Amino acid sequence: MSFNYTRILGFKEGKDGGFDIDENEVKIVRYIFSLFLQGENPNSIARVLTEKGIPTPAGKKLWSYSTVKSML
């Protein structure tokens, strides 16, 4: 069974075929959750990530409500 790791932010394929944490991307995931815990909603988080030029899990420049919501 194959899995598309390019659409999962914060993880990469491990040597055993499972999940390994991607240390660079996990910082973005933690940032998203910290914003949420500070009271931000998915729309405002998407706006912040877009303004900071942080790419989406698919590598796009524009974050959407649904992308952030699916992560949360």
Side-chain angles (χ1 to χ4, degrees), residues 27-41:
K27 293 174 188 175
I28 300 167
V29 175
R30 288 180 179 137
Y31 182 57
I32 291 168
F33 276 89
S34 73
L35 291 171
F36 182 72
L37 292 173
Q38 292 172 35
E40 299 293 336
N41 62 50

Side-chain angles (χ1 to χ4, degrees), residues 29-70:
V29 175
R30 288 180 179 137
Y31 182 57
I32 291 168
F33 276 89
S34 73
L35 291 171
F36 182 72
L37 292 173
Q38 292 172 35
E40 299 293 336
N41 62 50
N43 276 327
S44 63
I45 294 171
R47 189 173 29 259
V48 168
L49 296 170
T50 299
E51 288 171 358
K52 289 186 173 280
I54 297 170
T56 70
K60 297 179 182 180
K61 294 180 181 183
L62 182 65
W63 282 81
S64 67
Y65 165 87
S66 61
T67 301
V68 175
K69 186 172 186 266
S70 70

Side-chain angles (χ1 to χ4, degrees), residues 10-21:
F11 293 97
K12 60 185 176 183
E13 185 173 7
K15 292 178 183 174
D16 65 353
F19 289 94
D20 277 348
I21 293 175

